[in-house]
Amino acid sequence: MADKEHTAAVIGGGTMGADIAAVFIAGGWFVHIVDLSGNVRKNFPARLSTTLAKLGNHKAKGSFFLHSTIGELPWDDVEIVVEAVSEDLHLKQQIFGELVTLSQPHIPLTSNSSGFPISQIGKGLTTQNRMMGLHFFMPAHLVPLVEVISSEFTDSSIAQDVVGIMKDLEKRPVQVKKDIPGFLANRIKHALMREALYLVEQGIASPEDVDVAVRYGFGFRYIAAGPLLQKDLSGLDIQYSAAKIIYPDLCNATEPSLCLRKKVEKGHVGIKTGRGFYRWTKKKIDAVKLRYEKMLQAAIGILKSERQE
C-alpha cells in the first residue's frame, strides 16, 4: 500500500495510541492523532522518534498531525479509525457516537479495547456493520499479533479489508469471529495465568520457577509452533492420554485467585508500586525493560526471516 498516500486516524495518544500510530507511520501512512491533553501532544514527537528507532525506522516514512478534537480531522481523507482511549465504556460509546456523523460511510471504525466487546461499544449505532475490535498487544509497535474482532453485525468484507491493512503494515492479524470476553489471545493467556497463580498460591512452585518453566519450557517452543501445531508434531494421542490425567486436577476457579486479590488489596501491583510477585527498584525496572525489548526485537528478526524463506 506504500505506492499511494493513505491516511489513518488514531483517537487517543497515550501509550497504546502512540505506539499504534507509530506502526502506521512506519508503514508510510499519514496519521492524525487526537488527544485532549496538551501535554500528550507536546511529548508525542519525542516518543514517536524513540519508537521508530526501535522499529529500525530512524526517519519516519509517513507523517503525523496532532489534534485536540475529533472534529478537526480531514474526514474526506481518513481510511480507517483506531480508537485507543482508556478503558471507559461511556467514553468509547461517546466517541463512536460522534463518528457516526463525521466519518465517511464506508471506512472501518475500530477499537483497541482489550475488554469491551465491539457490540457493546456500538450498541444502537447505525455504523455497527463497519465496527470491529482491532486489538494490539503491548508494546504495540513490537508485538506482531493484532486481533480483528467481528460482532454479529460486522460486514465480513470490511473486516477482511482491515486484515489486509494490518498485513501491509507487517503485523500478523488473526480474525476472531465472535466478540466474546477476552477475544482469542487473552482467553488463552488467562487460562494459563489461572493455573500459574494456583500453583504459586498452593506453594507448589515459586513465582520465579513458574516463569522459568514457561520461558525455558513450552513457552520457548511457541515461537516455532503454536499449541495446536506443536501437538500435531508430538502426537494428539499423547495429548489425549495426558489430558485424561491432568484435566481433572487443574484449577477451574471462576473468581480471581486469593493471592492475586491480596496483592492488589495491598497495592502490590508490580513495577508501578515497586512490588508485585517481585520487588522492584528503578535500576531493576530499567534493566528488565531493556532486556524485554531486546528479546522481542530478536524474536521479530526470527519471525521476519521465516516470512522471507
Side-chain angles (χ1 to χ4, degrees):
M1 299 183 77
D3 57 342
K4 62 167 288 196
E5 294 180 354
H6 293 280
T7 301
V10 176
I11 315 300
T15 300
M16 287 299 291
D19 289 347
I20 291 168
V23 171
F24 280 92
I25 293 165
W29 283 57
F30 293 128
V31 182
H32 293 263
I33 301 98
V34 180
D35 201 289
L36 289 173
S37 169
N39 209 33
V40 168
R41 297 195 303 274
K42 178 183 176 182
N43 294 330
F44 184 87
R47 179 185 175 87
L48 175 66
S49 179
T50 301
T51 301
L52 289 172
K54 291 174 182 177
L55 287 170
N57 293 280
H58 296 278
K59 185 176 181 181
K61 297 177 182 177
S63 300
F64 67 92
F65 309 88
L66 298 167
H67 307 272
S68 59
T69 67
I70 296 176
E72 298 173 16
L73 300 184
W75 285 109
D76 288 344
D77 300 326
V78 173
E79 298 168 60
I80 183 172
V81 176
V82 184
E83 171 270 306
V85 300
S86 58
E87 287 293 282
D88 179 325
L89 179 59
H90 177 72
L91 176 60
K92 290 177 185 291
Q93 289 175 330
Q94 180 182 335
I95 288 169
F96 279 91
E98 290 184 59
L99 295 176
V100 171
T101 56
L102 291 171
S103 64
Q104 293 293 309
H106 60 282
I107 70 167
L109 304 177
T110 73
S111 173
N112 182 57
S113 175
S114 59
F116 296 118
I118 195 64
S119 56
Q120 190 175 7
I121 295 172
K123 187 175 182 180
L125 297 179
T126 58
T127 50
Q128 287 191 83
N129 69 305
R130 53 192 177 101
M131 287 179 62
M132 67 203 76
L134 189 62
H135 184 215
F136 292 77
F137 293 80
M138 291 182 69
H141 59 294
L142 293 180
V143 179
L145 180 66
V146 181
E147 294 176 323
V148 180
I149 307 124
S150 296
S151 74
E152 61 179 307
F153 306 103
T154 305
D155 185 322
S156 60
S157 65
I158 299 177
Q160 195 60 50
D161 289 342
V162 173
V163 167
I165 291 171
M166 291 298 105
K167 286 181 177 179
D168 286 337
L169 293 172
E170 298 188 357
K171 304 302 282 185
R172 193 62 188 263
V174 294
Q175 290 199 67
V176 185
K177 299 175 182 177
K178 187 176 181 181
D179 59 344
I180 56 176
F183 316 135
L184 173 58
N186 275 342
R187 289 180 74 92
I188 299 170
K189 182 180 73 173
H190 276 272
L192 182 151
M193 278 300 299
R194 179 170 62 180
E195 188 63 28
L197 290 166
Y198 172 79
L199 293 170
V200 171
E201 184 175 280
Q202 296 299 311
I204 297 166
S206 68
E208 293 85 354
D209 283 345
V210 169
D211 284 345
V212 168
V214 174
R215 288 189 63 212
Y216 293 91
F218 64 88
F220 177 76
R221 302 183 304 204
Y222 279 168
I223 195 169
L228 301 183
L229 173 57
Q230 201 280 322
K231 291 309 171 186
D232 261 10
L233 294 174
S234 64
L236 297 181
D237 53 334
I238 297 172
Q239 169 67 19
Y240 181 74
S241 297
K244 288 197 294 183
I245 299 169
I246 297 171
Y247 281 15
D249 198 52
L250 289 175
C251 176
N252 62 357
T254 58
E255 296 289 336
S257 72
L258 180 62
C259 76
L260 181 62
R261 179 166 64 83
K262 285 183 175 180
K263 286 188 178 295
V264 172
E265 288 175 348
K266 291 178 181 178
H268 298 166
V269 298
I271 64 172
K272 292 184 289 187
T273 57
R275 187 171 176 183
F277 285 106
Y278 300 87
R279 290 183 179 272
W280 297 98
T281 62
K282 185 180 185 307
K283 183 178 179 180
K284 186 176 180 181
I285 291 169
D286 291 344
V288 169
K289 281 186 173 181
L290 180 62
R291 178 188 64 79
Y292 183 66
E293 290 200 351
K294 281 185 175 179
M295 289 197 167
L296 289 180
Q297 288 168 326
I300 289 172
I302 293 171
L303 293 173
K304 281 186 176 179
S305 67
E306 177 187 44
R307 291 201 297 269
Q308 292 167 0
E309 290 177 355

